[in-house]
Amino acid sequence: MSKPAMGNSPSAQKNKPATEPVEKPAPLDGGRVLVFCLSLMVMVLITAWPHFLGSTPDTMDHNAAMVLMFGMSCGFVYGIGFTPKLRIWRWLFSGWSAVVFMCAGVAMVVT
């Protein structure tokens, strides 16, 4: 008598899923493109004109810079189409939170 091959045993077929899960990329709709472009604008603004955050090191608003750059980072993550699996990260890196953080950073600098 011959033994059945390992791949043909009933227990091996029982653990094998019927179909393999497929990761679908997030669609690149207009909102993602808009948030990505806003993030690029913030990056260029801070890089090309750092005096936007303050004229001297003593007058620099570091809190505003932190909030603005955090919003920029969230916008890049959302804009390229990455969607985290955990709910808290999905909320944090959403388009709405990116726009809110970027607008809050600009408001902190302007006021």
Side-chain angles (χ1 to χ4, degrees), residues 20-83:
E20 295 296 323
V22 177
E23 293 283 334
K24 293 183 180 179
L28 295 176
D29 56 352
R32 287 191 186 270
V33 173
L34 177 69
V35 171
F36 187 75
C37 289
L38 283 173
S39 298
L40 282 174
M41 285 176 32
V42 168
M43 181 186 68
V44 168
L45 175 74
I46 292 174
T47 303
W49 189 41
H51 293 290
F52 171 73
L53 297 170
S55 57
T56 65
D58 295 333
T59 62
M60 290 279 186
D61 192 355
H62 291 90
N63 293 330
M66 180 182 65
V67 171
L68 196 59
M69 289 185 198
F70 183 74
M72 177 189 69
S73 300
C74 292
F76 281 136
V77 169
Y78 177 76
I80 61 170
F82 179 73
T83 305

